[in-house]
Amino acid sequence: DAGITQSPRHKVTETGTPVTLRCHQTENHRYMYWYRQDPGHGLRLIHYSYGVKDTDKGEVSDGYSVSRSKTEDFLLTLESATSSQTSVYFCAISDSTGANVLTFGAGSRLTVL
Amino acid sequence: AQSVTQLDSHVSVSEGTPVLLRCNYSSSYSPSLFWYVQHPNKGLQLLLKYTSAATLVKGINGFEAEFKKSETSFHLTKPSAHMSDAAEYFCVVILYNNNDMRFGAGTRLTVKP
């Protein structure tokens, strides 16, 4: 997990509240990704970023927004959390689409009551 | 449509015996394929990747995988399991573009003493 930090690592919140997860990297990698991991589904891409202020939707983007104002930070926001968003969220980084090797953070476990 | 299928959700082997974790994919393109491993409460780590070079790919910790186009398979093997191999393993395919990586549902490997 060297070079990539997720915060918070654990969070419990209530339905309808906003939540922001932060991913911070020290590798100066261009690409950053947010995934969610749920039993039986593997990891599913929520949003990704290919540069500062450049983001795009992934497979399961509904209910999530992202922002990247600096190379090192990629924020995932749940504007109004729902119980279906209870999950483990992983941030990943990649230095080029050619190699496409992802380096993952340690994960953020979110529980929405 | 499922783009990557891991045929076993759980595999149990004895220490010192061979490991086989099965993965089948579907892709309209010449695929790039990966195996990642996730130890409990950790992020994912790359084991190996196939990107249209040699069909037999060697990875870390003695794992290898063989790309078989005719069978659309990319099975992961190891000759002799070690207790430290107990983890969850994910097969990954790049689907439409380099930022659209699809994960299988995962195979949990248990290694018995």
Side-chain angles (χ1 to χ4, degrees):
Chain A
D1 304 343
I4 179 169
T5 306
Q6 292 184 229
S7 59
R9 292 291 314 279
H10 301 272
K11 186 172 181 66
V12 179
T13 191
E14 295 188 346
T15 298
T17 60
V19 175
T20 296
L21 305 180
R22 179 182 184 236
C23 179
H24 178 78
Q25 60 144 332
T26 57
E27 305 296 321
N28 200 34
H29 284 355
R30 178 181 178 187
Y31 297 91
M32 299 186 75
Y33 307 82
W34 277 108
Y35 287 89
R36 60 178 289 173
Q37 182 178 26
D38 304 289
H41 290 279
L43 274 72
R44 292 178 291 175
L45 181 65
I46 304 171
H47 282 278
Y48 67 95
S49 169
Y50 47 96
V52 173
K53 299 190 189 305
D54 291 324
T55 66
D56 205 349
K57 296 178 179 180
E59 184 185 0
V60 290
S61 60
D62 288 349
Y64 302 94
S65 63
V66 290
S67 66
R68 192 167 177 201
S69 59
K70 298 183 292 184
T71 298
E72 56 266 35
D73 289 326
F74 192 34
L75 303 181
L76 177 70
T77 297
L78 293 64
E79 300 290 348
S80 178
T82 67
S83 58
S84 65
Q85 293 176 311
T86 292
S87 186
V88 181
Y89 292 85
F90 285 95
C91 178
I93 60 175
S94 173
D95 61 354
S96 73
T97 56
N100 237 321
V101 172
L102 298 175
T103 300
F104 284 86
S108 296
R109 182 175 296 275
L110 175 66
T111 301
V112 183
L113 302 175
Chain B
Q2 188 73 13
S3 51
V4 56
T5 302
Q6 293 185 240
L7 298 167
D8 307 290
S9 60
H10 185 209
V11 170
S12 181
V13 301
S14 297
E15 190 174 20
T17 64
V19 175
L20 170 64
L21 306 183
R22 299 182 293 166
C23 173
N24 285 97
Y25 70 91
S26 59
S27 174
S28 300
Y29 302 87
S30 181
S32 292
L33 295 153
F34 307 78
W35 277 99
Y36 282 83
V37 60
Q38 183 181 31
H39 291 277
N41 300 312
K42 299 286 188 182
L44 282 73
Q45 178 186 15
L46 179 71
L47 268 181
L48 50 81
K49 62 178 180 178
Y50 166 78
T51 53
S52 73
T55 57
L56 183 63
V57 182
K58 294 188 183 299
I60 62 172
N61 300 333
F63 284 94
E64 61 183 36
E66 186 172 9
F67 172 68
K68 292 187 176 180
K69 186 175 181 178
S70 61
E71 299 177 9
T72 61
S73 69
F74 190 57
H75 300 336
L76 182 70
T77 60
K78 182 174 181 177
S80 176
H82 191 272
M83 295 297 291
S84 61
D85 295 327
E88 187 144 22
Y89 293 79
F90 294 93
C91 182
V92 183
V93 62
I94 294 179
L95 191 57
Y96 296 116
N97 62 65
N98 286 333
N99 289 305
D100 192 358
M101 303 179 75
R102 298 298 175 103
F103 285 72
T107 299
R108 181 165 300 278
L109 176 65
T110 300
V111 182
K112 298 175 290 186

